[in-house]
């Protein structure tokens, strides 16, 4: 039987798997992605893409293509019922990461763009209409690897793929997770919804409508290019089969659509869950996306959480497989992602209480509270600007020493992304300047970046970026790229780090901050965290230490 050798095998060609494959391809990592479908999805699925995901698309050079099929910056209006009183709205205007916080998209077009992006990388091989029949991994005493038996569905041809790592992005029913014997744990929440997708819609309203009627909650979601989605709650005593009947669907949607013609694209019944895999790693096999966590759709974060998984795991796999960092760092993937994924599940559950109240009393209580909050500016802005959405902040993982800034510290947080101005007067988003790797960033002050001498910075290929406040005179220095933050977008978030240097990771999270006088202590501690073997009195090396992974059963 033929054997294909690769570094990473990804099972599942949805948004998570395709995003990960693009990150690995950009890093020059040999990758094979396998999916049993003939191609990417044709039917509508996810409808909301957030600012963090668009920033991730920027990182892999696809954001301009993705934005062609996105309606940017839509909000949510909450109504008591169809034709009832609007009691709240959420219309975020902030774009701290470079893009609007809420955006409508079409998943078929998004996936097709990601798949097309793989064509840029000779090291990536996409095998659609193929199915993994069986896989097994070596024990820790061996050199280490995973081997899968794959069938080409079209003609039944069988072959093997041998990889150093296997990433399961194979959805909520994940056959890989099942084969590993990993349980889904957490909330027992589940609910059934009729999901109806249409096109050629002439409704000009560009915001999402939520009819928070305890008798029959309905969501009305606009999409790009005249598409629209309706979601209608099915009560426990009602039949899913009956919900799909044309007359039943028409009766439920008539209060919100009226008699306008409806061009049906798809109708289906989804059961929404709030669950998480008990573990995301078994030896050299990792779970990502819906295989690792299932998020109710009320916050629009299910797909976006999967993209976050792909980015976090992607840059670490690149660093390991290029010999920059040891294999042991991969254990930080679940450490960093698990808590935030669960926080977004809780957010979705809480929003579900408002969107789909369980009783008229619950509906009245929440609607009254949100109505009153509109008259209290801090509360109004909290909801209006979506400040209730939990931002990821890593408390553990690949982080440097505490920096003394307390709750205002950027350590473990994503750095905002402003437009910056270069010496030639041109403007660009900060990430385009930084590139795909680590960076050392200084905001304002005298240029201290050229004085940094620790060998860790060279080992990490950390780019040195100095950002000046608006109105500053442009100055240049050897080895430092200097730009101006024209809108002073970084002034407030970086104020607690005055006089410090930020170490930025490839996923745009701040590893830590330090003063020049404390460079050696910070760098030596971070070297130990990474396990690189690079130190002040040691020569840089690309050797990795022995794998620190648990023994895994043969599947």
């Amino acid at each position: 039987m033929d054997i294909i050798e690769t570094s990473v095998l990804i099972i599942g060609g949805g948004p998570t798997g395709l995003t990960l494959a693009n990150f690995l391809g950009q890093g020059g990592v040999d990758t094979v992605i396998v999916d049993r479908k003939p191609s990417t999805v044709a039917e509508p699925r996810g409808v909301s893409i957030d600012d963090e995901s668009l920033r991730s698309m920027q990182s892999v050079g696809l954001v301009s293509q993705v934005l062609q099929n996105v309606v940017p910056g839509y909000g949510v209006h909450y109504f008591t019922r169809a034709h009832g009183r609007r009691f709240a709205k959420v219309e975020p205007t902030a774009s701290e990461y470079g893009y609007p916080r809420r955006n409508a998209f079409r998943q078929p077009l998004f996936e097709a763009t990601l798949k097309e992006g793989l064509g840029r990388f000779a090291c990536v091989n996409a095998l659609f209409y193929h199915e993994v029949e069986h896989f097994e991994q070596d024990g820790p005493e061996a050199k280490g690897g995973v081997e899968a038996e794959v069938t080409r569905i079209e003609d039944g041809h069988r072959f093997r793929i041998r990889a150093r790592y296997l990433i399961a992005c194979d959805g909520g029913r994940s056959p890989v997770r099942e084969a590993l014997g990993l349980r889904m744990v957490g909330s027992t929440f589940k609910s059934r919804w009729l999901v109806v997708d249409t096109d050629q819609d002439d409704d000009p309203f560009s915001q999402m409508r939520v009819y928070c009627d305890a008798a029959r909650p309905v969501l009305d979601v606009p999409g790009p290019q005249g598409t629209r989605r309706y979601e209608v709650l099915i009560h426990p005593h009602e039949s899913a089969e009956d919900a799909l009947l044309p007359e039943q669907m028409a009766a439920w949607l008539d209060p919100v659509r009226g008699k306008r013609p409806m061009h049906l694209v798809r109708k289906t019944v989804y059961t929404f869950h709030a669950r998480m895999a008990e573990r995301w790693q078994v030896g050299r096999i990792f779970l990502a996306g819906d295989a690792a966590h299932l998020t109710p759709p009320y916050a629009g974060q299910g797909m976006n959480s999967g993209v976050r998984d792909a980015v976090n795991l992607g840059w670490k796999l690149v660093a390991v497989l290029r010999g920059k960092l040891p294999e042991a760092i991969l254990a930080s993937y679940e450490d960093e992602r698990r808590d935030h994924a669960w926080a977004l599940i809780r957010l979705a559950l809480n929003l579900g209480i408002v969107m789909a109240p369980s009783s008229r009393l619950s509906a009245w209580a929440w609607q009254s509270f949100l109505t009153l909050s509109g008259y209290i500016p801090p509360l109004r802005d909290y909801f209006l600007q979506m400040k209730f959405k939990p931002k990821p902040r890593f408390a553990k993982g690949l982080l440097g020493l505490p920096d003394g800034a307390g709750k205002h510290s950027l350590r473990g947080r994503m750095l905002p992304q402003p437009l910056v101005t270069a010496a030639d007067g041109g403007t660009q988003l900060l990430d385009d300047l930084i590139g795909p790797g680590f960076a050392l960033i200084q905001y304002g002050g005298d240029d201290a970046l050229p004085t940094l001498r620790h060998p860790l910075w060279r080992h990490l290929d950390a780019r040195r970026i100095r950002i000046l406040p608006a109105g500053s005179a442009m100055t240049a220095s050897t080895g430092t790229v200097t730009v101006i933050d024209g809108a002073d977008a970084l002034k407030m978030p970086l104020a607690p780090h005055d006089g410090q240097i930020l170490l930025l990771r490839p996923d745009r999270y701040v590893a830590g901050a330090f003063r020049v006088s404390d460079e050696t202590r910070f760098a030596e501690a971070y070297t130990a965290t990474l396990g690189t073997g690079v130190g002040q009195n040691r020569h840089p090396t690309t050797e990795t230490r022995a794998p620190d992974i648990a023994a895994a059963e043969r599947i």
Side-chain angles (χ1 to χ4, degrees):
M1 188 177 294
D2 295 336
I3 296 181
I4 295 175
E5 299 278 351
T6 191
S7 294
V8 178
L9 169 61
I10 301 170
I11 301 179
T16 303
L18 289 167
T19 298
L20 177 58
N22 273 278
F23 266 90
L24 296 174
Q26 181 176 258
V29 171
D30 289 336
T31 303
V32 176
I33 180 169
V34 175
D35 193 289
R36 69 183 316 277
K37 301 187 302 296
S39 187
T40 52
V41 297
E43 73 274 10
R45 291 188 180 179
V47 293
S48 182
I49 186 168
D50 69 8
D51 49 352
E52 295 173 55
S53 289
L54 288 176
R55 190 175 187 179
S56 299
M57 295 304 106
Q58 179 191 351
S59 294
V60 293
L62 292 175
V63 72
S64 60
Q65 296 92 317
V66 169
L67 285 173
Q68 290 175 13
N69 299 301
V70 165
V71 176
Y74 80 99
V76 185
H77 288 212
Y78 294 88
F79 297 86
T80 55
R81 61 186 182 280
H83 307 296
R85 175 179 60 87
R86 188 186 73 188
F87 63 87
K89 66 177 180 178
V90 175
E91 292 185 357
T93 57
S95 56
E96 62 186 309
Y97 298 141
Y99 303 95
R101 287 183 174 169
R102 287 176 57 91
N103 310 276
F105 84 123
R106 299 180 68 187
Q107 187 167 329
L109 298 177
F110 178 62
E111 288 192 15
T113 299
L114 288 172
K115 183 185 176 188
E116 185 178 351
L118 297 180
R120 300 171 294 168
F121 311 118
C123 59
V124 178
N125 188 9
L127 301 178
F128 280 79
Y129 215 32
H130 287 71
E131 185 168 19
V132 173
E133 303 284 358
H134 170 84
F135 64 90
E136 58 185 18
Q137 64 175 319
D138 300 330
E141 72 284 351
K143 183 179 179 180
V146 183
E147 191 164 297
E149 190 172 305
V150 179
T151 298
R152 187 165 59 209
I153 296 174
E154 185 176 31
D155 58 11
H157 174 68
R158 302 169 77 87
F159 57 95
R160 289 182 174 272
I161 299 176
R162 182 157 184 85
R164 283 188 60 182
Y165 303 101
L166 185 154
I167 317 301
C169 305
D170 52 345
R173 294 187 176 92
S174 176
V176 173
R177 188 188 65 231
E178 291 295 318
L180 291 170
L182 297 176
R183 297 179 302 116
M184 296 295 279
V185 297
S187 170
T188 58
F189 165 90
K190 67 178 182 179
S191 65
R192 296 175 305 153
W193 290 72
L194 170 66
V195 177
V196 178
D197 288 287
T198 67
D199 63 10
Q200 305 177 51
D201 194 282
D202 60 359
D203 187 340
F205 192 67
S206 61
Q207 312 294 325
M208 176 178 173
R209 301 184 183 101
V210 180
Y211 301 102
C212 307
D213 188 342
R216 182 77 62 189
V218 178
L219 280 63
D220 172 2
V221 189
Q225 303 168 356
T227 59
R228 207 160 197 92
R229 166 168 293 181
Y230 299 93
E231 298 179 4
V232 186
L233 179 68
I234 303 173
H235 293 298
H237 65 276
E238 294 173 328
S239 162
E241 291 74 19
D242 290 347
L244 294 169
L245 296 173
E247 57 270 24
Q248 182 64 82
M249 185 174 64
W252 285 350
L253 291 180
D254 184 73
V256 300
R257 281 190 55 87
K259 303 302 180 184
R260 291 186 295 115
M262 183 170 68
H263 299 272
L264 185 67
V265 174
R266 182 186 68 146
K267 59 179 180 178
T268 189
V269 172
Y270 273 137
T271 299
F272 299 143
H273 294 274
R275 309 282 280 171
M276 184 172 288
E278 58 184 342
R279 294 165 59 197
W280 295 14
Q281 178 184 0
V282 176
R284 295 175 176 273
I285 301 173
F286 297 82
L287 307 182
D290 285 354
H293 41 76
L294 293 170
T295 307
Y298 307 120
Q301 287 298 305
M303 186 208 75
N304 294 292
S305 285
V307 171
R308 292 185 192 97
D309 293 346
V311 175
N312 189 289
L313 187 55
W315 79 262
K316 294 170 184 176
L317 284 168
V318 170
V320 169
L321 290 164
R322 293 178 65 179
K324 285 291 183 181
L325 296 177
E327 185 174 52
I329 70 159
L330 298 177
S332 68
Y333 159 61
E334 182 175 350
D335 287 342
E336 293 181 349
R337 284 290 305 127
R338 188 179 189 91
D339 288 349
H340 185 246
W342 188 247
L344 288 171
I345 290 174
R346 289 199 306 269
L347 170 66
L349 292 172
N350 291 334
L351 287 176
I353 295 172
V354 179
M355 292 182 174
S358 58
S359 66
R360 294 187 184 279
L361 178 62
S362 175
W364 174 83
W366 278 104
Q367 291 166 14
S368 299
F369 169 74
L370 291 172
T371 299
L372 289 173
S373 73
Y375 297 97
I376 305 172
L379 272 178
R380 181 190 62 213
D381 293 343
Y382 178 79
F383 289 106
L384 190 65
Q385 297 302 327
M386 278 185 67
K387 294 179 181 179
F388 53 81
K389 177 186 171 185
K391 293 182 181 179
R393 183 178 187 181
F394 306 143
K396 53 187 176 181
L398 302 184
L399 301 177
L401 296 171
D403 50 41
K407 66 179 182 179
H408 301 293
S409 173
L410 282 173
R411 178 178 178 266
R413 299 179 189 261
M414 181 176 278
L415 184 73
Q417 180 186 204
L419 273 172
V420 293
T421 304
D424 62 3
T427 60
Q428 62 184 142
L429 286 167
L430 178 61
D431 289 359
D432 292 335
L433 178 71
I434 293 171
F438 282 85
L440 292 161
I441 294 180
Q442 178 187 352
Y443 186 79
D446 295 330
D447 188 5
L449 292 170
T451 68
L452 302 181
R453 293 286 185 265
H454 197 279
L456 177 63
W457 316 134
R458 181 182 295 275
H459 181 73
L460 296 177
D461 297 321
R463 195 162 195 199
R464 304 184 184 209
I465 310 290
R466 184 179 176 221
I467 304 173
L468 300 177
S472 300
M474 184 72 72
T475 58
S477 61
T478 304
T480 300
V481 177
T482 303
V483 292
I484 293 176
D485 176 12
D488 270 345
L490 291 176
K491 184 176 182 179
M492 287 190 64
L494 289 185
H497 296 285
D498 182 47
Q500 293 184 317
I501 308 293
L502 300 182
L503 177 60
L504 190 68
R505 307 187 329 180
D507 57 358
R508 314 314 186 194
Y509 283 81
V510 177
F514 61 92
R515 298 187 182 279
V516 174
S517 60
D518 210 23
E519 176 194 5
T520 298
R521 189 172 74 93
F522 179 91
E524 290 289 312
Y526 200 57
T527 296
T529 296
L530 297 176
T532 61
V534 180
Q536 189 69 41
N537 300 313
R538 298 183 291 272
H539 295 292
T541 177
T542 58
E543 295 179 359
T544 60
R545 63 189 182 190
D548 182 21
I549 54 178
E553 298 176 315
R554 288 193 173 271
I555 307 305

